[in-house]
Amino acid sequence: MDITLDFDVNVALSHYLSDPSTVPTPEADGGLVDCEEDPESLTGGLVNSVLNPIVDAIAENPKALTRSSTFDSLQFLLKCAPTSLKSQQNYPNEPESELFQLSRSTSLLPSHSLSKILDVIVSGLSTEAEIIHNELESDEQDAIQHHKQLLEMYGFLLQWAICAVETKAAEKPASGAPARGRGAGKGGKSKPAVKDGSWDSTNQLQSALETMCKVLKLKLGKVFMTTSERDTFVGLFTRTVYLVFESEKRTKTTAIKMHAFKVLCMAVKHHGHAFGAQTSIIQNLSYFEHLSEPMAEFLQILSEQYDYPQLADEVLRELSIKEFNSNDSKGPKSIASFIIKLSELAPRLVIKQMTLLAKQLDSEAYTLRCAVIEVCGNLISDLSKQDERGENYKTQINGFFDILEERFLDINPYCRCRTIQVLMKLFDLEQKFPKRRQVAAELATRSLEDKSSNVRRNAIKLLGKLVSTHPFSVMHGGQLSHKDWDGRLQAVEAELNSLKPPVGSPGLAERSGAADATIDEALLDDATVLEDQTTPTITEEQQQAALSKIAEDAATSELMTRLQLTRKYYTEAIRFIEVLHEATSIVCQLLSSKNKSEVIEAVDFFVVIDAYKVETARTAIRRMLRLIWTKGNSDEGKGVQTHLIDCYKGLFFDAPDSFNENDGSNYVARNMISLTFGATPAELTSLEQLLSTMMKAGHVSELVIAKLWQVYGVQKKDISKNQRRGAVMVLGMLALADPEIVVREMETMLRIGLGNLGRADLGLAKYTCIALRRINPSGRQAKESTNTVSKLLNDHAVLVKLAAITEIDSASKEWFGAAEQAVAAIYALSKHPDTLCSEILRRKTKHVFQQRTVTPPPEEVSMGDEEGAISTPAPEEKDKPQNGSFALSQLLFLVGHIGIKQIVHLELCELDFKRRKAEKEKDKVPTPSPQKAAISADQDELDLIGGTTEDDFTEAIAHIRERELLYGEKSLLSNFGPLVTEICSNNTAYKNRDLQAAATLCMAKLMCVSSEYCEKNLPLLITILERSQDPIIRSNVVIALGDMAVCFNHLIDENTDFLYRRLKDNDASVKRTCLLTLTFLILAGQVKVKGQLGEMAKCLEDSDRRIADLSKMFFTELATKDNAVYNHFVDMFSLLSAEKDLEEDALKRIIKFLSSFIEKDRYAKQLADKLAARLERCESERQWNDVAYALSLLQHKNEDIQKTISAGFRVIQAAA
């Protein structure tokens, strides 16, 4: 049989790599050759009839492969299986044979046949390797050339077979569906498809890789005489391994991956494959993302197990100088993952090339910069864990830390984030790096103001990590209270000062100072004389004294050294705490961030620093309360609320596990009360929402509520005002969710808050009234509440006590708050609050005037037919003592507040009428046959009003409000309208500041009742707004005008200029109140904007940060309303550019902010045209510059405008 002696592996590879179908197979089995034009005749039986003899022959002797028929038959069969996917094929020509044309798209060779071919090649190669090994051991060199050719033939076929196997494995998912389709059309062909689909070549591939390792263990230098021949042969194996690595599935199989590594390691270590491996690794990293980590593992194994670190060095060198296109994201990402993984697995390999890798910090690809940053962290981590530390250990660690600290200023936020994340990992290590911690804390604090929310969020995390792992827990338990640490530092300083010898005393201080003194020449002369060197004799006692003195000095010196170290330790701790204090104030601002994850991180940070007793934590935790209002439309919003509640539960409402139920309830109740101490009204409102939400969710136990009532109701023992107040405040808040809390303990409230204790402490009375109001919630709470407590009659004990609160004779300003809430509670609880309030006003009026009337007044002002004549001696008012003015202030306050409450009461009556009428009409439909078994009083009322239409009722209510309350013959309030007008218009006669404030407030409230009264007194109110010296009065008038704009828009709309003027008020509180009022009115559409928005725009540059922020918020919201900023831009610009007091830079900042809301090109062009028309009319260069700057901010793309601007400002002088 013919022997193939002229097999040339280079020629064969040339054909195979170009197009496998072009590999010549002239001696293939005749049956196979016939199938070239008839692919259907290539059946499993034919293939087996050809393969079986080949298998037997090679099993008997691996040299059987050298027969030309055997080798060509195997090559022919392999040509029937594709070696690459259809999408990856790029062959120069189509094969002439129909069989090979079909084999390019699908495998015509059954899986079991391909499996058999792979088995026979692997077994033959394995046997041949054993034969060569034995011959090389016995130094039989005669058949070496023959073995060389046989090895090349087996290697070539093995590469081809594995390539076909891998292609089949890759195409299985895609070919599954077509296989079923073909099976449906041709019944007999579905079974092989299923059989093919079940073939797993993993074990065979593993066996093939083991055989490659067996071959590479041979001394191939004796088989292949030249290096090129050996490299070609080794390339057959390594090319196969790299092909296997291209499959992500294969790299996840540990056994295959480790065998593949072994093949490559042996090829590199023993057979000169280093350069080829370097090239392949770089290519793999560029084209296959999944190979980044496996390639790092390969280099680690090669270095550690095969002692060949040179390849890793060369790869890192090449990567360090590699440059990437700015559009290439895949390459840098893969290389970054590789470098990071290698630094984790073999940091000592990377550290040698770190100088070169650091060049990638200048790369445009941020992923590579991120990689170098993480590598620095991994290297620091490795160096810190080393037992043997070299001379340059500290230098290296400091160098890497320096790189990390520099990266805090990287231009890309991802790099800045990665730096912070790396530092977080490092500060979890056992080694603390105290100096670097301080720097990191300062840098993290700076990063809290980063423009990227991701960076800010990670900076908060880093600060939290620095606190939780701080190095100051060695002494004093690790708490971070500035006060405690400062006290310790002062104590150490005092101790050090006590150890220092006093000035002028002999000893160490004197000797240390002697070095700086002028040297005596005579002393030097004496010291050189030999006779002077004789030492005088010292007695034993002197020796003992000297020794004890030396020991004492040594002990003192040692103590001083220890104290100095302690002082340094305390100083560093205080520096760290001060940074935390600075950071806390910034993180507080981040609670308002739009990024909810950032808000959650801020909340967690405050919880952490509170656990370490940082003083600023408590203030921050109070600020957190506002988060309860976070909109819950999204999961993020709900997440913030839920997280806040969880944090507050952990901080205040979860008792320690060691406490029993009673102690735990005491703990929770005490904490709840403490939350009210020193809280602002805004914080109390937020706390109310938080506690009511927790109550609804069932987080507050009945025992805690009982404890709160105990604190509120205790009489036997004196407790602080704040504690009792806090208890009723919390109970009122909880009652929002469950009014029964108050209903059950009404007797206690009558006895305490509305009894003697309440009369003595008006603040307690005020919060008791608020709690009582919860029995019948109003507004939004009324819609959510299911409570149906009926209204009380006016002779009920609660209402009698509430009325008594308003009549308390007190000079305290707390009376106003108590009276306000008492009136509100009366209107919430009473069935006929107007009757009761009329009685209150009568009694209060008599009390105010009668006790101070000495002589009969010359004039009387009628208070109505229902009451006696009451005098108001106007001329004598100015002579009244201070307490008289204060009492009159209280009366006017009640009048104004009752007037407002009466309006609300009328509106509620109207709503109630409409509701009851709608319910009655609804009940008529389903029950046509009336049932009159039991008819309630309410139904009787409905029968009375059944014939009344809603419009009639509404008109009646409007008439009462407009004509009856302030102008009715029997109206009580009608007597006070002229009184407050008189007081307000004669501020020189009635000089008392409190009286003027109360009178103005009362008049403003009454103006909200009747449009006639409003129109009559509006000029007076505006005059007060313009001329009053009291900022409180001005603020109240601004708010009142806002309310009137809602009630009587037609009256206020013409006078809005007076409101806008308050934006220039000298007092910041008035300005802020005005801005808030206008914000509400404009955004709610209550007033028409007539070019005054420029005044609000000027507030963007206000020196008060809160006013500037409010203004920004206003324009941000306004921008969402139908192009409002665009519509008013020109008017605002005109007003701003004409403002002489506004600096040019400030104007530019305002215009830049406003122009950011002009987003659509169409609006930008129209606006640019309007502004460009002004350029010719500019009278000064400043005006021209302002217009030009505004145009530069708009995307108009108008060449004519550009030319006009380029020409610059020109002065045109008219001819004389």
Side-chain angles (χ1 to χ4, degrees):
M1 194 169 282
D2 295 333
I3 304 299
T4 306
L5 299 174
D6 58 349
F7 175 75
D8 188 335
V9 68
N10 292 313
V11 174
L13 274 174
S14 175
H15 284 295
Y16 169 77
L17 295 174
S18 174
D19 183 355
S21 64
T22 61
V23 174
T25 52
E27 301 298 327
D29 186 275
L32 294 176
V33 174
D34 293 340
C35 294
E36 285 193 35
E37 301 305 326
D38 183 16
E40 292 290 333
S41 62
L42 185 67
T43 62
L46 175 62
V47 173
N48 286 333
S49 66
V50 175
L51 266 181
N52 290 337
I54 294 175
V55 171
D56 294 340
I58 291 178
E60 185 179 339
N61 187 348
K63 292 182 180 179
L65 187 65
T66 58
R67 298 192 186 101
S68 58
S69 60
T70 301
F71 189 69
D72 282 359
S73 295
L74 287 174
Q75 287 191 120
F76 188 96
L77 289 172
L78 288 173
K79 287 192 323 188
C80 294
T83 55
S84 61
L85 296 174
K86 182 73 175 173
S87 59
Q88 298 171 353
Q89 291 175 3
N90 187 22
Y91 298 129
N93 300 305
E94 280 291 321
E96 296 178 2
S97 165
E98 187 181 348
L99 177 72
F100 298 142
Q101 286 178 7
L102 286 172
S103 69
R104 285 191 170 175
S105 56
T106 183
S107 178
L108 301 177
L109 191 66
S111 295
H112 61 85
S113 301
L114 185 57
S115 173
K116 191 181 289 186
I117 292 172
L118 182 59
D119 277 342
V120 71
I121 295 170
V122 170
S123 61
L125 180 59
S126 179
T127 307
E128 177 65 13
E130 291 173 4
I131 294 170
I132 295 173
H133 175 71
N134 294 331
E135 289 184 2
L136 288 173
E137 289 293 320
S138 60
D139 290 334
E140 295 180 12
Q141 301 292 333
D142 300 337
I144 291 298
Q145 187 62 27
H146 173 66
H147 285 305
K148 166 183 170 295
Q149 180 174 304
L150 194 54
L151 280 176
E152 288 175 342
M153 292 170 72
Y154 272 112
F156 176 71
L157 289 179
L158 181 61
Q159 172 188 264
W160 197 341
I162 290 178
C163 188
V165 168
E166 289 302 287
T167 303
K168 192 164 189 68
E171 73 181 6
K172 272 180 188 176
S175 63
R180 286 194 295 274
R182 289 195 301 273
K186 301 177 183 178
K189 291 199 175 182
S190 62
K191 290 181 182 177
V194 174
K195 191 174 180 182
D196 287 356
S198 63
W199 176 46
D200 184 6
S201 58
T202 303
N203 291 333
Q204 288 174 283
L205 184 59
Q206 187 176 330
S207 177
L209 292 170
E210 287 176 357
T211 303
M212 290 183 195
C213 292
K214 185 189 287 187
V215 173
L216 291 175
K217 284 179 183 176
L218 301 174
K219 298 176 182 176
L220 295 180
K222 294 185 178 180
V223 179
F224 297 95
M225 304 310 293
T226 65
T227 305
S228 62
E229 288 176 344
R230 183 196 64 181
D231 290 347
T232 303
F233 174 71
V234 172
L236 297 174
F237 291 169
T238 56
R239 195 179 296 111
T240 304
V241 171
Y242 296 131
L243 177 69
V244 171
F245 274 144
E246 288 180 15
S247 166
E248 189 171 357
K249 181 182 175 184
R250 296 296 193 201
T251 57
K252 290 178 180 177
T253 308
T254 306
I256 288 181
K257 182 172 69 172
M258 298 314 292
H259 278 90
F261 286 163
K262 190 175 181 182
V263 172
L264 293 179
C265 288
M266 295 177 73
V268 171
K269 176 71 175 175
H270 303 296
H271 304 297
H273 180 58
F275 183 73
Q278 178 183 339
T279 306
S280 297
I281 288 171
I282 300 296
Q283 287 179 344
N284 286 339
L285 292 177
S286 301
Y287 297 110
F288 303 102
E289 284 186 49
H290 69 273
L291 284 182
S292 52
E293 294 191 358
M295 289 298 101
E297 292 174 43
F298 161 59
L299 291 178
Q300 179 220 2
I301 292 171
L302 180 64
S303 173
E304 293 181 0
Q305 297 181 18
Y306 290 85
D307 192 26
Y308 197 91
Q310 296 93 316
L311 180 59
D313 293 343
E314 290 300 325
V315 169
L316 289 173
R317 280 195 199 99
E318 186 169 347
L319 291 179
S320 66
I321 59 172
K322 199 169 178 65
E323 293 183 1
F324 294 92
N325 190 317
S326 57
N327 297 324
D328 184 5
S329 59
K330 190 176 177 182
K333 184 179 177 183
S334 180
I335 288 171
S337 301
F338 165 77
I339 297 172
I340 292 168
K341 187 68 176 178
L342 188 59
S343 69
E344 291 172 1
L345 298 172
R348 299 190 188 188
L349 281 178
V350 179
I351 202 168
K352 291 188 291 183
Q353 306 301 329
M354 198 56 206
T355 308
L356 294 173
L357 281 177
K359 292 178 181 178
Q360 290 293 1
L361 288 171
D362 298 325
S363 170
E364 288 185 8
Y366 74 89
T367 47
L368 280 177
R369 300 203 301 275
C370 285
V372 177
I373 289 166
E374 193 152 347
V375 166
C376 288
N378 291 336
L379 296 182
I380 292 172
S381 177
D382 178 67
L383 287 168
S384 68
K385 293 173 184 174
Q386 288 180 14
D387 296 329
E388 298 178 5
R389 297 177 175 178
E391 296 176 1
N392 59 346
Y393 161 79
K394 282 189 177 179
T395 307
Q396 287 178 319
I397 281 191
N398 287 333
F400 296 141
F401 265 116
D402 288 342
I403 290 174
L404 292 176
E405 288 164 9
E406 286 171 7
R407 289 297 110 189
F408 268 92
L409 296 175
D410 196 287
I411 58 171
N412 190 284
Y414 289 107
C415 295
R416 301 197 293 274
C417 283
R418 185 64 62 88
T419 304
I420 295 171
Q421 290 161 1
V422 166
L423 286 173
M424 278 192 276
K425 290 179 186 175
L426 292 178
F427 294 140
D428 259 337
L429 298 173
E430 289 182 15
Q431 190 170 343
K432 295 294 185 182
F433 308 109
K435 290 181 181 176
R436 295 295 179 173
R437 280 175 170 272
Q438 181 64 32
V439 176
E442 292 167 1
L443 292 172
T445 302
R446 186 180 70 190
S447 294
L448 292 173
E449 299 179 275
D450 197 283
K451 65 180 180 180
S452 165
S453 63
N454 264 341
V455 177
R456 296 195 300 268
R457 181 167 57 85
N458 280 285
I460 297 170
K461 274 187 176 180
L462 175 57
L463 286 167
K465 177 67 69 179
L466 287 167
V467 172
S468 59
T469 61
H470 74 82
F472 306 111
S473 55
V474 180
M475 300 166 68
H476 314 300
Q479 302 298 344
L480 295 173
S481 167
H482 188 279
K483 181 181 177 182
D484 294 346
W485 283 94
D486 192 53
R488 291 166 193 152
L489 179 62
Q490 299 300 331
V492 169
E493 293 276 11
E495 198 171 348
L496 272 170
N497 290 334
S498 67
L499 289 174
K500 289 179 181 177
V503 180
S505 63
L508 291 172
E510 187 175 310
R511 288 201 298 274
S512 65
D516 298 328
T518 306
I519 298 170
D520 188 352
E521 296 295 333
L523 180 63
L524 289 176
D525 293 338
D526 293 342
T528 57
V529 180
L530 289 173
E531 287 77 11
D532 290 342
Q533 292 176 3
T534 57
T535 309
T537 55
I538 301 174
T539 64
E540 190 173 338
E541 291 144 3
Q542 288 175 326
Q543 274 186 339
Q544 193 67 28
L547 287 172
S548 63
K549 174 69 174 167
I550 291 169
E552 187 181 334
D553 287 350
T556 304
S557 176
E558 185 181 345
L559 179 59
M560 284 188 72
T561 304
R562 192 166 70 250
L563 287 173
Q564 283 168 348
L565 289 172
T566 307
R567 179 175 62 182
K568 183 182 178 186
Y569 179 77
Y570 288 168
T571 306
E572 288 176 353
I574 288 172
R575 277 183 63 205
F576 178 63
I577 295 168
E578 286 171 350
V579 171
L580 290 180
H581 285 196
E582 182 187 350
T584 305
S585 62
I586 303 173
V587 178
C588 274
Q589 297 173 22
L590 298 181
L591 288 172
S592 306
S593 171
K594 292 180 181 178
N595 187 301
K596 303 307 177 191
S597 57
E598 189 178 346
V599 174
I600 289 173
E601 286 298 339
V603 170
D604 288 339
F605 171 71
F606 293 140
V607 172
V608 169
I609 63 172
D610 181 67
Y612 284 87
K613 306 295 185 223
V614 178
E615 287 91 339
T616 51
R618 283 289 154 167
T619 306
I621 285 169
R622 280 189 184 276
R623 294 283 295 277
M624 277 162 46
L625 274 171
R626 69 173 79 160
L627 297 177
I628 196 65
W629 304 104
T630 305
K631 291 181 181 178
N633 299 332
S634 63
D635 291 338
E636 276 190 340
K638 292 174 184 174
V640 171
Q641 287 184 346
T642 306
H643 198 72
L644 177 71
I645 291 171
D646 290 343
C647 287
Y648 261 81
K649 278 181 65 183
L651 288 168
F652 302 107
F653 308 138
D654 284 343
D657 296 334
S658 59
F659 284 17
N660 58 35
E661 189 177 6
N662 185 64
D663 291 343
S665 299
N666 286 337
Y667 172 86
V668 174
R670 196 179 296 112
N671 281 343
M672 281 184 168
I673 293 170
S674 70
L675 287 173
T676 65
F677 297 163
T680 63
E683 288 167 354
L684 287 176
T685 306
S686 299
L687 180 62
E688 179 180 82
Q689 181 70 9
L690 174 74
L691 291 179
S692 62
T693 305
M694 291 181 68
M695 185 70 195
K696 286 176 188 173
H699 295 318
V700 183
S701 68
E702 288 294 328
L703 190 54
V704 170
I705 294 170
K707 295 291 181 184
L708 290 167
W709 280 118
Q710 286 176 20
V711 173
Y712 175 69
V714 66
Q715 286 180 293
K716 294 179 181 178
K717 184 180 178 182
D718 288 337
I719 62 171
S720 72
K721 284 184 178 182
N722 286 339
Q723 194 172 12
R724 199 187 298 271
R725 285 184 184 185
V728 75
M729 287 163 74
V730 171
L731 287 166
M733 293 169 183
L734 296 174
L736 262 182
D738 183 11
E740 283 297 317
I741 292 172
V742 175
V743 174
R744 290 194 301 264
E745 296 289 340
M746 205 177 288
E747 288 294 328
T748 308
M749 303 182 83
L750 287 174
R751 189 179 74 253
I752 303 297
L754 301 183
N756 291 332
L757 286 169
R759 296 175 77 86
D761 179 9
L762 291 174
L764 180 65
K766 169 187 171 182
Y767 293 114
T768 302
C769 294
I770 292 173
L772 282 168
R773 285 174 55 193
R774 307 302 187 213
I775 296 174
N776 277 322
S778 60
R780 181 171 54 86
Q781 287 88 10
K783 295 178 182 177
E784 298 174 359
S785 175
T786 56
N787 187 47
T788 55
V789 176
S790 59
K791 295 290 184 84
L792 307 176
L793 296 175
N794 286 346
D795 59 354
H796 192 281
V798 171
L799 295 176
V800 172
K801 291 275 191 179
L802 286 170
I805 291 294
T806 64
E807 298 171 36
I808 294 173
D809 192 7
S810 171
S812 169
K813 289 199 175 182
E814 284 190 333
W815 179 91
F816 293 97
E820 178 187 6
Q821 295 304 330
V823 171
I826 288 170
Y827 272 92
L829 301 177
S830 173
K831 194 170 185 180
H832 302 291
D834 44 359
T835 306
L836 181 56
C837 287
S838 295
E839 290 298 325
I840 291 171
L841 282 181
R842 287 193 190 97
R843 291 197 294 267
K844 187 71 177 175
T845 305
K846 289 176 183 177
H847 172 74
V848 169
F849 289 106
Q850 284 180 353
Q851 66 178 349
R852 295 176 179 83
T853 304
V854 181
T855 57
E859 296 180 5
E860 293 182 355
V861 180
S862 174
M863 298 291 284
D865 295 338
E866 296 183 9
E867 59 176 331
I870 297 177
S871 60
T872 56
E876 294 181 7
E877 280 289 345
K878 60 183 179 182
D879 300 325
K880 281 187 177 180
Q882 176 72 20
N883 58 352
S885 298
F886 195 76
L888 183 56
S889 301
Q890 292 178 343
L891 172 62
L892 296 181
F893 176 81
L894 278 176
V895 170
H897 196 57
I898 288 171
I900 284 289
K901 280 295 176 184
Q902 187 62 26
I903 298 173
V904 176
H905 178 63
L906 289 172
E907 289 174 353
L908 290 174
C909 289
E910 184 181 351
L911 288 173
D912 188 51
F913 164 76
K914 291 177 179 178
R915 178 182 59 78
R916 291 161 70 186
K917 188 171 177 65
E919 285 176 2
K920 183 180 179 182
E921 291 174 355
K922 186 179 179 182
D923 291 341
K924 283 181 181 178
V925 178
T927 56
S929 57
Q931 299 177 0
K932 300 182 180 179
I935 303 176
S936 65
D938 284 350
Q939 287 172 322
D940 288 337
E941 288 178 25
L942 281 172
D943 289 337
L944 292 173
I945 64 173
T948 309
T949 64
E950 289 186 11
D951 289 343
D952 292 341
F953 196 88
T954 302
E955 286 177 12
I957 292 290
H959 177 75
I960 292 169
R961 175 175 170 174
E962 184 65 39
R963 298 297 311 159
E964 295 291 330
L965 288 179
L966 291 180
Y967 295 102
E969 292 181 4
K970 297 182 179 181
S971 171
L972 189 61
L973 293 177
S974 64
N975 300 285
F976 291 97
L979 174 64
V980 292
T981 304
E982 171 69 19
I983 294 172
C984 291
S985 58
N986 291 296
N987 63 329
T988 53
Y990 306 96
K991 294 181 179 178
N992 184 273
R993 180 179 175 182
D994 292 329
L995 178 60
Q996 281 298 322
T1000 306
L1001 183 60
C1002 178
M1003 184 175 73
K1005 287 181 177 179
L1006 294 180
M1007 288 170 71
C1008 291
V1009 174
S1010 166
S1011 62
E1012 184 179 338
Y1013 187 80
C1014 179
E1015 187 174 7
K1016 181 179 177 183
N1017 292 286
L1018 187 58
L1020 173 59
L1021 192 70
I1022 290 173
T1023 303
I1024 293 171
L1025 177 65
E1026 292 289 304
R1027 296 182 181 177
S1028 174
Q1029 300 298 313
D1030 190 344
I1032 294 174
I1033 292 177
R1034 297 201 301 276
S1035 291
N1036 283 342
V1037 173
V1038 165
I1039 295 170
L1041 286 172
D1043 290 337
M1044 290 172 213
V1046 176
C1047 299
F1048 313 118
N1049 186 271
H1050 62 286
L1051 296 176
I1052 304 301
D1053 202 37
E1054 299 171 0
N1055 297 285
T1056 51
D1057 283 342
F1058 296 104
L1059 263 178
Y1060 284 101
R1061 282 184 201 169
R1062 289 306 100 208
L1063 291 174
K1064 297 179 180 179
D1065 199 285
N1066 296 327
D1067 189 275
S1069 64
V1070 179
K1071 196 186 296 187
R1072 194 160 53 246
T1073 303
C1074 181
L1075 186 57
L1076 274 170
T1077 304
L1078 285 169
T1079 296
F1080 164 75
L1081 292 174
I1082 293 170
L1083 294 180
Q1086 297 294 340
V1087 295
K1088 295 176 182 176
V1089 180
K1090 301 174 183 176
Q1092 306 102 324
L1093 280 182
E1095 295 293 341
M1096 299 191 76
K1098 282 195 289 184
C1099 292
L1100 290 165
E1101 286 295 314
D1102 197 275
S1103 56
D1104 188 320
R1105 177 72 180 271
R1106 288 176 293 180
I1107 292 174
D1109 288 344
L1110 273 173
S1111 185
K1112 283 181 182 177
M1113 183 195 73
F1114 164 73
F1115 281 106
T1116 304
E1117 289 296 320
L1118 185 67
T1120 63
K1121 309 257 181 204
D1122 299 327
N1123 308 312
V1125 175
Y1126 161 75
N1127 293 334
H1128 296 282
F1129 189 92
V1130 175
D1131 290 337
M1132 287 190 286
F1133 181 80
S1134 300
L1135 192 147
L1136 292 169
S1137 60
E1139 186 68 42
K1140 295 179 181 179
D1141 296 334
L1142 193 64
E1143 294 181 5
E1144 188 173 357
D1145 290 340
L1147 173 68
K1148 286 183 177 179
R1149 286 192 293 269
I1150 294 172
I1151 297 301
K1152 185 175 182 180
F1153 176 76
L1154 294 175
S1155 64
S1156 66
F1157 298 113
I1158 313 296
E1159 295 175 347
K1160 294 183 179 179
D1161 290 345
R1162 177 163 57 94
Y1163 295 135
K1165 289 176 182 177
Q1166 291 172 1
L1167 207 53
D1169 292 339
K1170 292 177 183 178
L1171 289 173
R1174 291 169 168 255
L1175 288 171
E1176 297 178 359
R1177 301 196 300 270
C1178 289
E1179 297 176 358
S1180 68
E1181 189 172 359
R1182 165 72 191 275
Q1183 288 181 355
W1184 193 93
N1185 288 337
D1186 292 343
V1187 177
Y1189 180 73
L1191 286 168
S1192 70
L1193 297 171
L1194 299 171
Q1195 302 296 323
H1196 53 80
K1197 298 176 183 176
N1198 187 321
E1199 292 184 5
D1200 293 335
I1201 294 175
Q1202 293 289 5
K1203 288 178 182 177
T1204 306
I1205 293 174
S1206 301
F1209 175 66
R1210 295 177 182 177
V1211 179
I1212 301 173
Q1213 188 174 2

